[in-house]
Amino acid sequence: ERGEYRHYMLKEIHEQPQAVADTLEGRIAGGHVLTQMLGVDAEALLARTDSVQIVACGTSYHAGLVAGYWIESFAGVPCKVEIASEYRYRNPVVRAGTLFLGISQSGETADTLAALKMAKGRDYVARMAVCNVPESSIVRESELVLMTRAGPEIGVASTKAFTTQLVALALFALELARAKGLDAARYADGVRQLEQLPGLIAQTLKLDGQIRALAENFAAKQHALFLGRGTHWPVAMEGALKLKEISYIHAEAYAAGELKHGPLALVDKDMPVIAVAPNDHLIDKLKSNLEEVRARGGELYAFVDETVAHGLDADHVLTLPACGEFAAPVVFTLPLQLLAYHVAVLRGTDVDQPRNLAKSVTVE
Ligand code: F6R
């Protein structure tokens, strides 16, 4: 089943152009997201929605964090994002007009399912699931469902499930934004970015050889720091999680603006720093954070897009295609997946079955 690929994880990374195309299939037509993608009652429920509570675990939580930025920025609707194991054991205040949104690849994660069940008795507009398994408990328990259609994911480290979650959540954010009266030009631009994604992903995966070369330097390190800002902070978190899970290198992600509030003390020549640096409104801020890293002798790996490749002083620069706000978190995730993969292979770990982890966490 792995075919030509050495590991399921690598196969699943390379399936992403198709998986994302499948997520988009039949959900966009004539430059619009089709409201029916969420079911027949969706229009009325979205009209009543004036805030969103996202709950998930692990990689799915990172997808939720990205979606939180989109929902507030595009739909103008407040959005909170929380880890399911925290949410379920506190007493959350539910404001009227809040939509509950659970995100789960497997649809069986114990904490996410428990949070969803707990939400039932509360005053939510509805409970919605973004999920990859149609027959799962989380799908059965939810009133609104948006399937990610990634296909089966065998590797324990989530890859195509994450990027298809991002795409499903982008569709949802655009749809909510339309219901809230987002300006037409911005909406059209968002839809266009999603339509171009499968091609951009395929183009980015061609950088595999360059990323493998970067991994050679990396494989002997003990620690790594991942930096991003805005939606690319959770993308950095996802990069750090991938590296931890499969290579067992200790990695942490920080919002780049937090650097001088503590983690800068860790930076020296033995600390590789990976910067996720697309050309968004935060790029100049990020560049000055990266200068601080260089000034402390940190070894800087900058993942930039072609429009910022100039004027960035780094030891290693990987140049990705330029893309907009919806496409960039997906595109910039890809080199982080490949970096973790190649580092793990070089270190000889069990890529598809990392120690101590299970694919689906059905007990707490
Ligand atoms: C990391 C990973 C986990 C899962 C988490 C939630 O690569 O796969 O962090 O994302 O256990 O699982 P689901 O999405 O099935 O609820």
Side-chain angles (χ1 to χ4, degrees), residues 29-220:
H32 287 270
V33 176
L34 299 175
T35 310
Q36 308 91 286
M37 75 175 182
L38 290 171
V40 282
D41 301 332
E43 186 81 51
L45 292 173
L46 292 188
R48 282 171 50 212
T49 297
D50 53 29
S51 72
V52 178
Q53 170 71 63
I54 295 179
V55 173
C57 301
T59 287
S60 298
Y61 167 67
H62 297 156
L65 288 171
V66 174
Y69 283 89
W70 285 336
I71 288 169
E72 295 218 344
S73 156
F74 282 86
V77 163
C79 182
K80 287 207 281 181
V81 188
E82 194 167 348
I83 294 165
S85 57
E86 286 299 314
Y87 175 89
R88 67 177 288 199
Y89 290 119
R90 61 184 191 90
N91 206 356
V93 176
V94 181
R95 289 180 30 201
T98 303
L99 179 77
F100 181 96
L101 172 51
I103 307 171
S104 175
Q105 185 283 129
S106 62
E108 303 297 344
T109 298
D111 285 321
T112 311
L113 181 59
L116 184 66
K117 287 186 169 157
M118 179 179 128
K120 187 170 193 173
R122 316 254 162 165
D123 196 18
Y124 285 106
V125 170
R127 295 170 308 153
M128 174 173 157
V130 166
C131 189
N132 195 41
V133 180
E135 303 307 317
S136 64
S137 306
I138 285 174
V139 165
R140 276 185 272 121
E141 182 75 27
S142 302
E143 291 85 45
L144 291 176
V145 172
L146 187 56
M147 298 309 301
T148 48
R149 303 180 185 155
E153 194 180 62
I154 311 292
V156 165
S158 190
T159 53
K160 62 177 180 168
F162 177 68
T163 48
T164 56
Q165 282 169 345
L166 290 177
V167 171
L169 290 163
L171 287 168
F172 170 72
L174 281 168
E175 178 54 15
L176 186 62
R178 187 202 48 79
K180 302 297 155 193
L182 172 76
D183 93 60
R186 219 174 155 200
Y187 176 88
D189 180 53
V191 171
R192 193 185 43 78
Q193 286 181 41
L194 294 184
E195 288 178 320
Q196 291 172 348
L197 251 181
L200 273 178
I201 295 172
Q203 193 185 332
T204 306
L205 291 174
K206 292 193 182 131
L207 299 170
D208 189 37
Q210 286 182 50
I211 298 162
R212 191 168 44 215
L214 294 181
E216 307 267 344
N217 286 313
F218 226 92

